[in-house]
Amino acid sequence: SREGGKWVKFNSFIEVLSDIKTESACKTAARSEGKNKIIWDKLRSDDDTERCFVQAPEIHCDEAPYTRDNHLGNADNFGINNERPNASRIEIDLPYFPSGDVKRCVFRTRYNISTTDYDGWNTFADSNNNAEVISNNPKVDVFGDGKGFKLALNTAQTGRTFQDRSHMYQILPRTAEMAGKTIYNLNVRGKRGNIVQTFPATEYDFIPNRLTVKENDLVHVQWTGSNTHNNRNDGDDGEGTGGTDRSNIIEMGDEGANYPKTIAESKFWEHVKSLTDPSADGTDIAIGLASAGYYCSKKGTDTCPADHSLTGRTTKIDDKMNNAPASYFGHVLKFTKTGGMNYVCTRNNNFS
């Protein structure tokens, strides 16, 4: 380089397959891998050792759906997969790690606001507090008479990042029956409170709102919650004990109904299998989802102790689920027959 340094090429990767020691074995692994690109190369150009590693996927870059200014509701996304309009969102694929090791990952979201009042690519920190670049509450001499109008402009809110959030999660290894399959996450978004109290977030809701899967696809139903969330300053309207989250899934007859089906009435689960608890039948799965895992099955399974089952629990579930778990690992589900289901959460169905 001009300064006498040396350019070093790096290969971006998500995992080094340390058990694979030769190029031929790496090529064999690459041929059998349907999700990732596996290559034999140096991690950096000044390294003497070649390794077998999984290249990082290409960066996913999409134009954000259109909304009116400062609008936090549904976006202009009619026609996307023939869906109804949804809140602004991005749907991403979680990384897949061929090693099968448990991975700790970080998901970071940032909400940026841009302005064209100055050249953002060539304006830097040394322009801070420079009124010639941009200033707070400036006056614009529209009429040329020295008076003008004052703009309600806060320079701390232009060309900056809002709502910088990071979340940690784990990716667990797939079982053999999950290999090569598309797995959809079906979980819960939003927080406790009514429509005013949760702003600018949203009330509890299932996400995706509508999910269509193919015959060989899988669905992991799971969610997280809290027993000590800090919404009280914003308002904490809702069912059950204040400061707590609870969710469940129970089949509905149709979208216009208010009453869910009982477990005995529900037929959808007769054609569903669990890959995370293969000994569970449809009734066991339905009971687990309806109780957020408080009852992990009807009588017990290979992964569900009998004393945690519907017939084994001596203390029954509270009618507002106060004694149920806030978070639920759920099941990875496989469907044996085409069909569909409407469903509801009994606790968070408060019209507020």
Side-chain angles (χ1 to χ4, degrees):
S1 70
R2 185 175 61 184
E3 302 298 330
K6 180 181 178 182
W7 287 104
V8 177
K9 173 188 173 184
F10 288 84
N11 273 311
S12 180
F13 65 94
I14 62 172
E15 186 169 51
V16 175
L17 303 178
S18 55
D19 292 340
I20 299 178
K21 306 296 185 183
T22 66
E23 183 176 4
S24 60
C26 186
K27 289 182 177 179
T28 300
R31 286 192 295 268
S32 62
E33 172 61 42
K35 180 69 174 176
N36 296 304
K37 185 177 181 181
I38 297 177
I39 66 171
W40 179 265
D41 201 353
K42 297 176 181 179
L43 297 181
R44 45 188 291 166
S45 58
D46 60 352
D47 191 356
D48 295 329
T49 304
E50 293 183 318
R51 296 176 173 85
C52 188
F53 58 89
V54 182
Q55 282 193 312
E58 293 185 8
I59 294 175
H60 181 92
C61 185
D62 274 342
E63 183 179 356
Y66 174 79
T67 66
R68 64 175 173 81
D69 292 344
N70 296 323
H71 180 65
L72 299 171
N74 289 345
D76 180 18
N77 49 15
F78 277 107
I80 298 178
N81 299 323
N82 295 316
E83 293 180 353
R84 300 176 182 180
N86 291 310
S88 296
R89 66 185 63 183
I90 182 172
E91 295 182 1
I92 61 173
D93 291 338
L94 296 177
Y96 167 58
F97 299 93
S99 68
D101 295 334
V102 176
K103 298 291 183 178
R104 296 181 68 195
C105 301
V106 176
F107 180 77
R108 184 182 183 186
T109 58
R110 303 178 72 189
Y111 166 31
N112 297 318
I113 289 184
S114 302
T115 179
T116 58
D117 292 311
Y118 51 85
D119 182 356
W121 297 107
N122 293 292
T123 305
F124 305 102
D126 56 6
S127 294
N128 285 344
N129 302 314
N130 184 348
E132 294 181 1
V133 178
I134 191 170
S135 62
N136 284 318
N137 303 322
K139 283 188 176 181
V140 180
D141 189 3
V142 175
F143 302 112
D145 61 357
K147 295 292 185 181
F149 297 113
K150 179 179 286 189
L151 303 181
L153 177 63
N154 183 349
T155 60
Q157 295 180 347
T158 59
R160 60 159 286 187
T161 297
F162 287 80
Q163 306 295 337
D164 194 341
R165 298 288 185 267
S166 296
H167 303 271
M168 295 186 64
Y169 62 96
Q170 283 189 331
I171 296 180
L172 303 181
R174 296 177 177 226
T175 65
E177 197 170 355
M178 299 176 194
K181 302 289 182 64
T182 298
I183 304 177
Y184 289 92
N185 268 306
L186 173 57
N187 41 54
V188 175
R189 68 173 181 176
K191 67 177 186 178
R192 183 186 178 99
N194 63 37
I195 192 172
V196 175
Q197 294 166 346
T198 60
F199 184 86
T202 185
E203 298 169 277
Y204 295 114
D205 192 10
F206 291 112
I207 186 74
N209 306 109
R210 289 174 176 267
L211 179 60
T212 302
V213 300
K214 297 179 181 178
E215 184 178 358
N216 292 321
D217 293 339
L218 308 175
V219 177
H220 189 180
V221 186
Q222 58 180 326
W223 54 78
T224 60
S226 172
N227 284 319
T228 55
H229 67 58
N230 190 25
N231 289 358
R232 293 183 182 276
N233 291 335
D234 298 325
D236 198 50
D237 283 3
E239 299 299 311
T241 304
T244 68
D245 307 310
R246 295 292 185 272
S247 300
N248 66 346
I249 285 182
I250 302 178
E251 183 179 358
M252 296 282 289
D254 61 66
E255 293 179 281
N258 283 299
Y259 288 79
K261 291 185 176 182
T262 66
I263 298 295
E265 293 170 337
S266 180
K267 303 301 180 184
F268 176 82
W269 304 106
E270 295 176 358
H271 307 290
V272 178
K273 292 184 177 180
S274 171
L275 300 191
T276 42
D277 187 359
S279 61
D281 62 19
T283 299
D284 295 324
I285 297 168
I287 289 171
L289 293 173
S291 65
Y294 184 80
Y295 305 124
C296 50
S297 68
K298 184 175 182 179
K299 295 182 178 180
T301 67
D302 291 345
T303 63
C304 168
D307 59 352
H308 284 67
S309 68
L310 177 63
T311 57
R313 284 270 196 189
T314 55
T315 302
K316 298 305 179 182
I317 192 169
D318 180 81
D319 62 1
K320 293 191 176 180
M321 301 180 65
N322 290 315
N323 59 345
S327 300
Y328 181 44
F329 177 80
H331 293 268
V332 176
L333 303 177
K334 174 183 178 181
F335 306 97
T336 61
K337 183 180 179 180
T338 58
M341 181 182 75
N342 300 305
Y343 47 90
V344 68
C345 171
T346 56
R347 162 133 159 181
N348 302 326
N349 201 33
N350 186 323
F351 183 77
S352 58

